[in-house]
Amino acid sequence: MRTITRSLPAFAAALALASLSASGLAAQAGADVQKAVDAAYAKYRTLKEGKNADYIPALAKVNPDLFGIAVVTADGKVYTAGDVKSEVSIQSISKVFTMAQVIQEQGADAIEKTIGVDATGARFNSIIAVEAVRTVVGSGAPEMNPLVNPGAISATGMVRGASADEVWKKIIGFHNDSAARNLDVLQDVYKSESDTNQRNQAIGALMLAYGYIKSNWQQAVDLYTRQCSIGVNARDLAVMASTLAFGGKNPVTNKQVMDAAKVPNVLAVMATAGLYDDSGKWLYHTGLPAKSGVGGGIIAVSPGKFGIAVVSPPLDDAGNSVRAQRAIADISNSLGGNPLAPPSR
Ligand code: GLN
């Protein structure tokens, strides 16, 4: 009895101390995040490697100096450096959220059985990749991937809806919920890509011919082009990444955007194919599921820790933003973000 009465105040004191140091730790962790973001911004601000994408004419006109970094933590706090307000087109990063929408709506099996989830190891708009996997289609499950154009156009074609409008509302709705704001299509990019996307139209037609798209490939290509033209800034993209980092629950709005149990499927495809044919190299250095877009954005996810995004238009040969790759790798490594590394304590 004596020991209990004595230990109670000691227990209370210990509790108070623990919560004090927990909030102290949170503040310290916040300072560390900002420090890492600032350091990467300073280090890469003047880096001039890479070149804007120009096969979509509107992308060539985007300011190549645009550089913004944002990190979102579990408490919904957003840490930023540089220009996190100017918008670029989301491009291929939208593929993640449309795939996620299909997984949410129709289950993880639907994507695997209709499109496949293996990396093609080829460029994002490769037609050879379509032909290569075609040889194994008859023998079993399809082998396309929803994060490169053929599979992505097919995934857009899978979103259910009685009209193009209805499908679009679902696609943009999922993006909005993940970003915590209403996003708009950049009309100049949409027009520019619609005028020049004959290659994607050819891919769409092939996907119908090979059974990946069931009907109306033209609608799938058009909606895919529209989703690629959604305007986002680095902050939006980081919030979108954080929704995936925290089990499908947007930490800014606390809205559950997708079922937590389905998020690992999304992250797995990002890990294997998010940076096209450089996905292996990226994973080797960071361990992070990520996705790039030819607009210059990259998102990356450290599950349970943070979502991060960088916007910087100049791309390397694989089509991935040079500064975004470097900044994200540095920040994640200094915050212990690699999910494949053993916990530091
Ligand atoms: N809309 C672009 C395309 O289809 C997206 C490509 C990308 O970001 N890799 O070519």
Side-chain angles (χ1 to χ4, degrees), residues 55-56 91-92 95 124 149 193 200 224 228 276 292-295:
Y55 75 100
I56 300 170
Q91 295 298 340
S92 277
K95 291 166 175 161
F124 61 83
N149 293 14
E193 184 161 351
N200 283 338
Y224 163 82
C228 286
Y276 321 115
S292 62
V294 288

Side-chain angles (χ1 to χ4, degrees), residues 39 69 104 115 137 221 237 255 273 289 302 309:
I69 304 176
Q104 174 63 16
I115 296 172
V137 161
V221 173
L237 289 174
K255 181 169 181 164
S302 180

Side-chain angles (χ1 to χ4, degrees), residues 306-323:
F306 57 81
I308 182 169
V310 174
V311 168
S312 167
L315 312 177
D316 65 14
D317 289 341
N320 299 312
S321 165
V322 176
R323 288 197 291 194

